[in-house]
Amino acid sequence: MRLGNLDDRLVLIADDEHAVDVATASGGTFGPDPMDAFADWRTFTAWASTLDLTDAAGTGRCSVDLARLGPPVPRPAQIFAIGVNYREHADEAGYPPDSMPVTFTKFPSSLTGPQATVTLPEGHVDWEVELVVVIGTGGHRIARDDAWSHVAGLTIGQDLSERVAQLEGSKPQFSLAKSHPGFSPTGPWLATPDEVPDAMDLAIRCAVGTETMQDSRTSRMIYDVPELIARLSAVVTLLPGDLIFSGTPAGIGNRRTPPRFLQAGEVLTSTIEGLGAMVTRFA
């Protein structure tokens, strides 16, 4: 199952050109707000599994325009972000082999959709393609072995980062430097784990124009998705609809020689195997 946010309405993606409007198809059982799916995730998925998305005359069927898709989860209560969670990224950033992944937050006002144009602030803006995990069923102290049962799905994310503010001074500002408007593109949709061939071994890439900048696999994470959920929930209560940006592989701009940052007019393409692609433009 793939969930989308089409013109701020919750839809189920049938194919690349069609979707089903959830509020219409359910006769109002579920509302049009994309966040409504997380009010009772298990009930929602049980209902959605009964739909025939191939029915061309089905109730609520509509056309999909990728440019009209917003972030699949537009108003999460919490956004967690993990730094230094790929070994090769830790190496390029100069972190020792035994470094613990860094946990910080991105503010929800930075969320945008998969075809966004982002206005660059002053400074040096860098790219970080990431697998984003969406929580379906919340909890505290979730066991690693139970972690996947709490996951609603996966999507693509970019942890755009303004490096001057992030690294300025003796106390870096990770959360603020990564939360400018549009600095958290996600999409194009949320794919439930059964839609993905092997959720923990997916090709993950991003390119600026035609130049590939990052090219890795999610199997190279230091802490995989179940471990991240177990460790985060050991401290905080995870809530339905929460996002976890799970870390980025090597190839970021500020570790290149010379450093390379995003410029107005450039196009950033982010892809993850089985999840589609996002195209972010900069102004």
Side-chain angles (χ1 to χ4, degrees):
M1 179 175 64
R2 295 182 295 169
L3 274 70
N5 170 2
L6 183 64
D7 297 333
D8 297 321
R9 292 182 67 89
L10 177 63
V11 297
L12 291 168
I13 304 295
D15 53 48
D16 290 346
E17 297 181 354
H18 300 96
V20 173
D21 185 89
V22 167
T24 303
S26 70
T29 299
F30 302 99
D33 189 326
M35 299 304 299
D36 286 351
F38 302 100
D40 186 344
W41 179 249
R42 290 195 174 99
T43 299
F44 174 78
T45 54
W47 168 80
S49 68
T50 66
L51 287 183
D52 180 5
L53 298 180
T54 66
D55 182 3
T59 303
R61 193 169 176 87
C62 56
S63 298
V64 170
D65 179 352
L66 293 180
R68 291 162 50 203
L69 290 176
V73 185
R75 292 179 304 281
Q78 305 179 102
I79 302 177
F80 303 92
I82 308 298
V84 200
N85 196 27
Y86 285 75
R87 181 71 267 150
E88 65 268 30
H89 177 48
D91 292 342
E92 73 171 356
Y95 287 88
D98 59 347
S99 290
M100 293 277 289
V102 178
T103 301
F104 55 95
T105 62
K106 288 171 72 72
F107 298 110
S109 60
S110 66
L111 283 167
T112 191
Q115 298 276 330
T117 296
V118 176
T119 300
L120 294 169
E122 293 184 3
H124 298 153
V125 178
D126 206 346
W127 55 83
E128 294 191 14
V129 64
E130 308 204 7
L131 177 71
V132 176
V133 181
V134 182
I135 298 298
T137 305
H140 180 51
R141 296 179 179 172
I142 298 169
R144 174 186 167 85
D145 290 347
D146 296 333
W148 278 113
S149 68
H150 289 259
V151 173
L154 306 169
T155 191
I156 306 169
Q158 267 286 344
D159 177 22
L160 296 174
S161 306
E162 196 288 290
R163 300 299 190 191
V164 175
Q166 180 188 342
L167 303 174
E168 194 170 38
S170 59
K171 298 177 180 178
Q173 294 285 351
F174 275 65
S175 295
L176 285 177
K178 293 166 173 281
S179 292
H180 288 270
F183 266 35
S184 302
T186 56
W189 38 66
L190 178 158
T192 52
D194 59 291
E195 287 275 340
V196 184
D198 182 350
M200 285 320 302
D201 187 26
L202 304 174
I204 178 170
R205 302 183 180 92
C206 83
V208 178
T210 60
E211 183 181 1
T212 297
M213 298 299 184
Q214 295 180 279
D215 188 355
S216 188
R217 301 194 71 84
T218 58
S219 55
R220 296 176 186 169
M221 288 182 186
I222 297 171
Y223 292 154
D224 62 11
V225 169
E227 190 67 19
L228 291 176
I229 290 173
R231 286 174 179 258
L232 288 172
S233 70
V235 178
V236 302
T237 299
L238 297 180
L239 303 174
D242 281 354
L243 305 184
I244 303 172
F245 281 67
S246 62
T248 198
I252 60 174
N254 76 330
R255 293 299 170 180
R256 292 175 175 267
T257 306
R260 166 78 159 86
F261 299 108
L262 292 162
Q263 304 295 323
E266 291 189 316
V267 178
L268 180 67
T269 302
S270 310
T271 60
I272 298 180
E273 182 182 3
L275 299 179
M278 293 196 308
V279 177
T280 308
R281 295 172 172 81
F282 296 92

